[in-house]
Amino acid sequence: MLKAKITGTGSYVPDKLLTNKDLVRIVDTSEEWILERTGIRERHIAAKDQTTSDLAVEAARQALKAAGVKAKDLDLIIVGTCTPDMFLPSTACMVQLKLNAKNAAAFDLNAACSGFLYGLSVASGYMSSGAFKKILVIGAETLSRFTDWQDRSTCILFGDGAGAVVLEATTGSNALLYTHIKSDAEYWDYIQIPGGAAKEPATRAVVDKRLTKIRMKGNETFKVAVKTLENLVVETLEKCDLKPSQLSLLIPHQANLRIIQATAKRLGLPMDKVMLNLERYGNTSAASIPIALDESVRTGRVREGDYILLEAFGAGLTWASALVKW
Ligand code: COA
């Protein structure tokens, strides 16, 4: 059976930095509180004229170059995002246009912070069915556009960025071995942007009430995330018949250092086997895992034959995991 192999990775973050020190000037908080409670020191913010597809294209170009694949040879482009350029057309279509990937199908996928891993899962299905042979999966966000800069409990968390992978069909065993996706909408209101869409169109009143911005029940989300991810990583390894000691690297969604530490602890995994970069980027939602993966590849933390576990958790609530043999 054909499997999906990651043959190239890429990532991009905008130049502008927003540090914890900068945030102290905006909301009632302290540099120490943010670092201690989240693990974040700074995040990158898109320039006024940059949209999600602009960030996505930068990451995609790198991934295509690394894979040695031409944009015109892509069969499919999937963009995991909850902060699209606009409602219509999809951000994936804008990426197709900018890359001139004439022969691809393109669509967006919204599973919030789990969007990239949902994208990998969909792509792997197309690969194994034989429908597509070269797929670009991107996670890209401009969360800063939807951040409530008056809400100290959320505005400290988010950053902008994009990461991408090129997947190619293979009959070999170094490939994406397993993906798992799941949702539980019982907690749909834990993380939301309630206004600006069909339910609450963007009237002046809706905008003034800041309903077009992200709202989160942070502490409640934290508790479900820890419990869910602890079970998820154990179950994923069991499904793949692997012991935690066989893992070379865990690449978690970069939301909160304490959540990541709890997940690693559940596996008995030392923190030096965990990829961390949220200190520099904050929570970039669907972009966080492909950015961290690209960084791991480019810094030599991933070598041929390594088993790598990816996991994410986000609004929906949604969660997902993937096991890759590099
Ligand atoms: N600076 C200082 N104090 C702050 C603050 C800030 N930026 N933000 C919140 N606080 C205060 C709260 O007002 C509260 O004060 P009170 O006790 O007087 O009411 C106190 O800190 C504790 O708030 P709480 O929300 O319980 O903090 P927490 O330890 O849960 O940390 C988050 C908050 C958001 C960092 C944490 O809950 C989190 O990371 N949640 C999960 C996020 C996530 O994984 N999302 C899913 C993927 S997007």
Side-chain angles (χ1 to χ4, degrees), residues 29 33 37-38 113 152-153 218-219 255-256 258-259 283 313:
T29 188
W33 194 95
R37 305 307 293 165
T38 70
C113 301
R152 68 175 182 171
S153 70
N219 199 262
N256 185 306
R258 291 178 293 139
I259 297 176
N283 178 350
F313 184 89

Side-chain angles (χ1 to χ4, degrees), residues 1-5 123-133 168-173 175-177:
M1 193 174 76
L2 286 171
K3 291 197 183 78
K5 180 179 168 69
S124 113
Y126 279 124
M127 288 277 177
S128 54
S129 76
F132 295 125
K133 299 249 172 349
E168 294 184 74
T170 180
T171 49
S173 62
L176 186 54
L177 300 183

Side-chain angles (χ1 to χ4, degrees), residues 27-30 33-34 37-38 113 152-154 156-158 191 216-222 225 253 255-256 258-259 283 285 313-315:
V27 285
D28 179 17
T29 188
S30 68
W33 194 95
I34 302 172
R37 305 307 293 165
T38 70
C113 301
R152 68 175 182 171
S153 70
T154 55
I156 56 161
L157 300 172
F158 305 118
I191 311 168
M216 183 166 74
K217 296 183 182 176
N219 199 262
E220 290 87 335
T221 305
F222 185 95
H253 169 47
N256 185 306
R258 291 178 293 139
I259 297 176
N283 178 350
S285 186
F313 184 89

